[in-house]
Amino acid sequence: SSPAYDTCDPDFTDYISTLLEDGIVTVLKNKPLGGSEDIAYMLNRVVEAGGKALYMIFGTELKAFHHNAFFDFDEEVLELAYNAYLRIIHAFNS
């Protein structure tokens, strides 16, 4: 199984939350993932190398749980996620 990712930097989390809280996105900070994800390998490596890392989930109602043949989600959340990442990229490139 994948390792846990529990090394969130509170200042970095607050900074990203500030960028995204605008009435469209609701930021829930420091919520436990409740599962194991392969991305934890990469996130932990970034932190070990002195970088900042953050795991974000863009929620939507699901037709069925993950890893289920009936899994489906509202694809409109993809535009929301795209815009959130774009806002973060612009903040770091300005």
Side-chain angles (χ1 to χ4, degrees):
S1 78
S2 300
Y5 176 70
D6 55 6
T7 56
C8 285
D9 179 311
D11 292 334
F12 185 61
T13 302
D14 287 344
Y15 175 69
I16 297 300
S17 295
T18 300
L19 288 176
L20 300 179
E21 286 183 335
D22 60 2
I24 297 172
V25 174
T26 301
V27 177
L28 305 174
K29 296 185 282 187
N30 303 320
K31 299 291 274 184
L33 183 56
S36 176
E37 290 286 341
D38 291 341
I39 192 68
Y41 287 108
M42 184 180 78
L43 296 173
N44 287 329
R45 185 72 178 121
V46 167
V47 172
E48 289 167 8
K52 307 279 187 194
L54 185 66
Y55 188 86
M56 297 188 301
I57 297 173
F58 295 88
T60 180
E61 290 194 31
L62 302 176
K63 303 282 186 202
F65 292 110
H66 296 259
H67 311 289
N68 181 301
F70 298 103
F71 174 80
D72 195 11
F73 65 96
D74 182 354
E75 292 178 357
E76 287 186 22
V77 77
L78 295 174
E79 184 176 1
L80 177 70
Y82 169 80
N83 287 325
Y85 281 112
L86 195 59
R87 186 176 297 174
I88 292 167
I89 290 166
H90 282 243
F92 282 94
N93 284 324
S94 55

